[in-house]
Structures are given as structure tokens and as C-alpha cells.
Amino acid sequence: MSKTEADWCKKIEIWWLLRDMKNSKYKDTTILWGTNGDKGSIGCEVNLWGDEKFVRFYYAQTSRDTSEKEDFDYKVPLTTTPCRYGGSRYWFRCLLYKNGVYCGRRVGVLYKNGDLFGCRHCYNLTYSSRNISGLAKPFGRVINIREIEKMREKVKRTNYKGKPTKKYLRYLKMDERAEQSFIGIARLLSGKAKRILRATKKKK
Ligand SMILES: [Zn+2]
């Protein structure tokens, strides 16, 4: 099965979602796609209070199978990791199940390639940058997240004449590498990695 390109899906980037929340911990808003929402819109509540930080999505859409209106209302947990220079960085925690297994990945972007918003791994999405330049070496080095945020802010337009811009592609590539680094670190800290370390020590 060929992968769908991520650029063609509805997506929500965490930095964008929280861009106006530097001084607030709650908002209830509408997210629009296209021109004034002609490509779709959803209700979105963001709560950064307490231990259960979340974003709640609520929307109605017509079922492809039954052509009846279906209501969706669910929460995606938000999680934080400390920043190198203080403060913390927010992530979505993907709530999808793939082949019966809960995903739970920490991701910076959610996509909608089905009924719910989930990560690109669950939806089997690929970045077009991967096709063009090949996948950057994962876990090669830890990337400075602020650099990436700065890169994203500099991207004035993501597409030009139907093609992703070079600046946007560069950003996507960096963002992907950063995500892999983070997942790599999380894995290293997990028990599995500790077991591997123990096993290698025993061999010596
Ligand atoms: Zn997922």
C-alpha cells in the first residue's frame, strides 16, 4: 500500500495551537481549514490546567458508509517535556489504536486521515520531503527544538503552485528528525533499553 502524503491531510501543529496561549491556560475556539472554513472546521477546547492537560476536539461529519451525520467529541492528552533553557514544551499524545495496540506516541503534529486526529505513524503518512531527499539519519543528534520553532515561524507559505516550498520542506525534515530523536531518547530511558544495557555489561 502506498503511503498518503501528509501535506494532503488536515493537520494541527502543537506550536500553532498554543501560539496565543503564552499568558492563558484555557481556550475554546474553532479551527478552520481552507478559506473561511470551506475545507472544514472543528470545535477545539484546550486546557493546560492541572495534571490532565488536554485538547478536546468536537465536530460532526457525514459518515462515508451510511451518509448519516456522526458526532465526534474526544480528548487528546497533552504532555510536556522540559526545555533545555527552562520552561517546557508541549506534545500531543496520540490516542489511536493500530492493529489493536494503543499508540500513545508523543508527537508535535496531529493529522486527520480518517474520523479522528492521530499521528502520522498511525495513519501511515509520509512527508514529501522524505521522497525527495531521503530520510535523515535517525537518532544522529539531538536537535534544538527552538531552532525548529524558529524555522517554522520563518515559513511564510507551505505551498507554492501546489508544491511544498523549499523552506517548508527543510522545516519538515528538521521536525521529523527532532521527533525521532525524542522517541529515541524516550526508548533509551525505558526499561527495554536498560535491559539491553545490562545484557551488554554482562558480556564484558
Ligand atoms: Zn499514533
Side-chain angles (χ1 to χ4, degrees), residues 94-96 103-105 118-122:
C94 175
L95 49 61
L96 296 187
C103 173
R105 271 191 185 86
C119 78
R120 67 190 162 79
H121 307 277
C122 286

Side-chain angles (χ1 to χ4, degrees), residues 5 7 13 20 23 26 33 54 58-59 64 69 72 77-78 83-84 102 106 110 117 126 136 147 155 171 185 194 198:
E5 282 192 7
D7 289 345
E13 296 171 17
D20 53 358
N23 299 311
Y26 179 86
W33 282 272
F54 65 85
Y58 52 100
Y59 47 89
R64 279 175 219 168
K69 273 249 158 138
F72 293 89
L78 296 177
C83 282
R84 216 163 138 189
Y102 173 68
R106 212 159 58 187
L110 289 180
F117 280 91
T126 183
E147 290 271 334
V155 175
Y171 154 73
I185 291 161
K194 278 180 204 152
R198 267 203 300 275

Side-chain angles (χ1 to χ4, degrees), residues 84 137-145 147-148 174 177-182 184-185 188:
R84 216 163 138 189
K137 205 169 127 190
F139 319 135
R141 66 190 180 100
V142 178
I143 290 154
N144 187 335
I145 291 298
E147 290 271 334
I148 292 165
M174 285 297 281
R177 283 168 64 177
E179 211 167 79
Q180 276 164 342
S181 298
F182 268 92
I185 291 161
L188 275 176

Side-chain angles (χ1 to χ4, degrees), residues 138-203:
F139 319 135
R141 66 190 180 100
V142 178
I143 290 154
N144 187 335
I145 291 298
R146 284 196 182 180
E147 290 271 334
I148 292 165
E149 281 173 348
K150 269 185 210 154
M151 269 178 96
R152 184 63 186 89
E153 281 160 18
K154 279 181 193 156
V155 175
K156 292 285 179 287
R157 52 189 308 167
T158 55
N159 285 274
Y160 182 67
K161 289 183 179 170
K163 282 185 178 173
T165 62
K166 274 185 187 162
K167 246 186 192 174
Y168 188 52
L169 287 180
R170 264 203 301 275
Y171 154 73
L172 288 180
K173 197 169 147 188
M174 285 297 281
D175 190 52
E176 175 157 310
R177 283 168 64 177
E179 211 167 79
Q180 276 164 342
S181 298
F182 268 92
I183 293 165
I185 291 161
R187 266 195 211 136
L188 275 176
L189 296 174
S190 76
K192 194 179 172 188
K194 278 180 204 152
R195 276 199 301 278
I196 292 165
L197 285 175
R198 267 203 300 275
T200 44
K201 266 183 197 165
K202 265 181 204 165
K203 273 180 201 162

